[in-house]
Amino acid sequence: MPGVVIVGAQWGDEGKGKITDLLAKDAAAIVRFQGGNNAGHTIVRDGEEFKFHLIPSGILHSDKLCVIGNGVVVDPRVLLGEIDGLKRAGVSISNLRLSANAHLIMPYHVLLDQAGETKLGKNSIGTTRRGIGPAYADKALRLGIRVQDLLDEKILRTKIRAALEPKQQALRELSVQRRKRRKEAGEEKGAEPELVPDPRLDVHAMVEEHVNFGHRLEPHIADTAKLCWDALDSDRTDIFEGAQAALLDLDHGTYPFVTSSNPIAGAACVGAGVGPADIDEVWGIAKAYATRVGAGPFPTELHEEVGERIVERGHEFGTTTGRRRRAGWMDLVALRYAVRLNRMDSLAITKLDVLSGIGTLRVAVRYRSKEGAVLDSFPYHQSILHSATPEYEDLPGFDADLGGCRDEADLPQGARDYLGFVSEFVGVPVRLVGVGPDRDQTVWLDA
Ligand code: GDP
């Protein structure tokens, strides 16, 4: 099975890191193909917790290549911070490869992201404010700075100047606002705000700093598409690891409350540089319930106490931002949409253990529009989705602690029925079930 894609099947944070870590056992390379340091994976191995934002989860396997593909946007400062952290933890990073074609998140992208969200106020998208959207925008505008540019000071300087030029107005406004705020707070006296440029935008300092980043990253910079082909062509497995999830896809998710890249399986080809025929298998990862971070429609959201219990028991706080996630019942209308969009072959259902003792478990099987129409499929029209109400099937649930289950036979009947219902409804076998955060806390099901 040389090309395997792993994608989030809901709104992200499904536990893709752990499943990737498991499925990567026999792979030659683990490749991230989109997103930036807005992702966050937590892997617990033998009780030790590792958190990653940019580096693919596969880094814990020293015998595998760990690739940041061309489709990822990379904040070099963050990447180097993660590299340093892993080194301190004694994890070898000699197998890390960074695409020379990946685009960089520059300091001005972060500033623009923060300013954009602040300006939108209560209509903000809920981005992580780390510059990811503006970096992808520059890529599309042909104003991006790529990893390879770090290795040539002259080119880097020219490109930074060209990228900054059209942003001058917005950045100047930002700088003035920032200084006004500081003055009002009594932190600054003297010069008129307009006269002093933001030190973070000084071209000379930016170039110098980034040339330095280039020196440090150089041993990892590579033609990563070729590395992927080399593995595939010799019948070894590449795992393409998606960040975020299907319902946050820029084209197919709940726009504009989406991420600024394409986290669906089809995007693995573009973001890693392989062909559709290289993909042999697609895994979708879904939680046994649903969560969503930030704003945007979430039909099965729970506002009552049971939602609170799920958040507490599932530790539903973001790896990257620490933000509390919104929680709700499993939404099979949305999941079936994600299954088709990614043409999934298999599902992994994580965090089933969190639902034990919750009582009756509800799963959404259709929506009803505000005019009363029955909606069996995920509505493409935003206004319909915003006002749709879910209709549920109630399943009995289970009380036993699942943490020690390792075989299908260990799972209580209520848990098996729940998984069977999900699988039947969306038409894809559930092959893996998570019953706790540790990588051993996993049950393989016979498909
Ligand atoms: P990702 O970005 O999709 O990898 O998801 P996150 O890492 O943000 O969130 C998953 C969280 O759930 C992590 O803290 C995992 O350790 C944890 N986790 C993963 N699978 C399970 C599971 O089956 N049960 C429980 N209780 N926790 C899990």
Side-chain angles (χ1 to χ4, degrees):
M1 279 300 179
V4 179
V5 184
I6 299 176
V7 289
Q10 296 162 314
W11 279 281
D13 312 307
E14 296 93 347
K16 295 178 291 293
K18 173 182 155 183
I19 304 297
T20 305
D21 190 45
L22 280 169
L23 296 179
K25 200 164 57 70
D26 302 316
I30 296 100
V31 187
R32 257 198 73 178
F33 59 88
Q34 46 72 230
N37 53 309
N38 49 348
H41 294 317
T42 312
I43 301 172
V44 183
R45 208 192 249 199
D46 303 327
E48 193 176 357
E49 194 175 76
F50 294 90
K51 287 182 192 291
F52 304 110
H53 300 292
L54 200 50
I55 293 184
S57 328
I59 196 73
L60 298 183
H61 300 267
S62 58
D63 58 332
K64 301 173 197 315
L65 278 186
C66 188
V67 176
I68 298 178
N70 57 276
V72 177
V73 286
V74 179
D75 186 328
R77 190 192 307 269
V78 172
L79 178 57
L80 286 163
E82 271 187 28
I83 288 176
D84 289 342
L86 282 165
K87 279 185 182 162
R88 276 196 301 276
V91 177
S92 164
I93 48 110
S94 60
N95 53 342
L96 178 67
R97 298 291 180 276
L98 169 62
S99 168
N101 289 347
H103 280 247
L104 295 176
I105 299 173
M106 300 297 287
Y108 43 86
H109 292 136
V110 180
L111 288 174
L112 289 168
D113 198 359
Q114 288 167 354
E117 283 288 274
T118 306
K119 203 166 170 184
L120 284 171
K122 67 177 178 44
N123 295 324
S124 73
I125 297 161
T127 80
T128 51
R129 301 180 179 221
R130 301 200 168 163
I132 287 130
Y136 276 119
D138 265 358
K139 177 177 176 175
L141 284 168
R142 271 65 53 86
L143 284 173
I145 317 276
R146 296 192 292 173
V147 166
Q148 56 185 280
D149 300 327
L150 293 175
L151 305 179
D152 186 320
E153 184 171 340
K154 207 166 138 219
I155 290 181
L156 183 64
R157 186 182 311 275
T158 312
K159 290 197 173 181
I160 288 180
R161 285 216 169 101
L164 274 173
E165 215 274 322
K167 301 177 184 65
Q168 287 304 349
Q169 179 63 25
L171 291 169
R172 206 173 296 123
E173 271 174 32
L174 272 180
S175 155
V176 170
Q177 279 166 17
R178 179 170 152 262
R179 289 184 60 85
K180 270 194 182 142
R181 273 198 308 275
R182 292 185 58 141
K183 274 192 104 168
E184 277 159 21
E187 293 168 23
E188 220 166 287
K189 298 189 176 60
E192 275 308 297
E194 287 82 356
L195 303 178
V196 187
D198 189 321
R200 290 171 294 184
L201 297 172
D202 178 72
V203 174
H204 182 73
M206 208 186 298
V207 170
E208 199 174 349
E209 183 179 43
H210 283 75
V211 165
N212 236 327
F213 291 156
H215 287 316
R216 293 193 56 202
L217 290 172
E218 195 167 2
H220 303 285
I221 300 175
D223 178 357
T224 52
K226 181 157 185 324
L227 296 176
C228 293
W229 306 335
D230 288 348
L232 295 168
D233 294 346
S234 56
D235 227 21
R236 287 173 301 144
T237 300
D238 282 341
I239 300 257
F240 301 100
E241 174 188 13
Q244 294 92 36
L247 297 169
L248 296 176
D249 185 272
L250 182 58
D251 288 74
H252 301 282
T254 53
Y255 192 90
F257 302 103
V258 292
T259 198
S260 44
S261 62
N262 295 104
I264 58 171
C269 296
V270 180
V274 300
D278 285 316
I279 309 299
D280 300 279
E281 200 178 347
V282 178
W283 276 79
I285 320 298
K287 274 183 224 191
Y289 47 94
T291 60
R292 175 165 198 161
V293 173
F298 183 11
T300 61
E301 183 167 14
L302 279 163
H303 298 285
E304 59 256 46
E305 196 251 329
V306 62
E308 207 51 53
R309 274 172 71 195
I310 290 175
V311 169
E312 291 305 323
R313 294 182 56 174
H315 305 292
E316 295 299 348
F317 300 91
T319 312
T320 299
T321 57
R323 281 189 285 188
R324 183 191 187 281
R325 298 171 183 150
R326 299 153 69 194
W329 296 120
M330 188 152 208
D331 183 342
L332 296 184
V333 183
L335 186 60
R336 190 163 55 188
Y337 172 64
V339 162
R340 185 62 192 91
L341 203 49
N342 291 279
R343 229 301 316 269
M344 287 173 198
D345 299 288
S346 307
L347 269 174
I349 301 290
T350 61
K351 297 190 138 182
L352 188 60
D353 51 301
V354 172
L355 295 185
S356 103
I358 291 279
T360 299
L361 301 178
R362 315 196 82 188
V363 288
V365 290
R366 70 186 79 82
Y367 302 149
R368 200 168 282 272
S369 76
K370 80 171 182 293
E371 292 78 20
V374 171
L375 307 169
D376 286 315
S377 33
F378 198 70
Y380 68 89
H381 200 292
Q382 221 206 137
S383 318
I384 296 177
L385 180 61
H386 272 274
S387 57
T389 44
E391 295 191 349
Y392 293 102
E393 182 84 21
D394 286 348
L395 302 168
F398 48 92
D399 292 322
D401 176 1
L402 304 190
C405 297
R406 294 295 176 270
D407 287 309
E408 190 168 352
D410 299 337
L411 293 172
Q413 192 59 44
R416 275 188 275 169
D417 290 346
Y418 187 74
L419 296 169
F421 189 91
V422 170
S423 175
E424 176 92 356
F425 191 92
V426 301
V428 172
V430 174
R431 293 179 55 207
L432 248 179
V433 183
V435 292
D438 208 277
R439 79 198 296 260
D440 297 336
Q441 292 182 296
T442 309
V443 177
W444 282 89
L445 303 186
D446 287 331

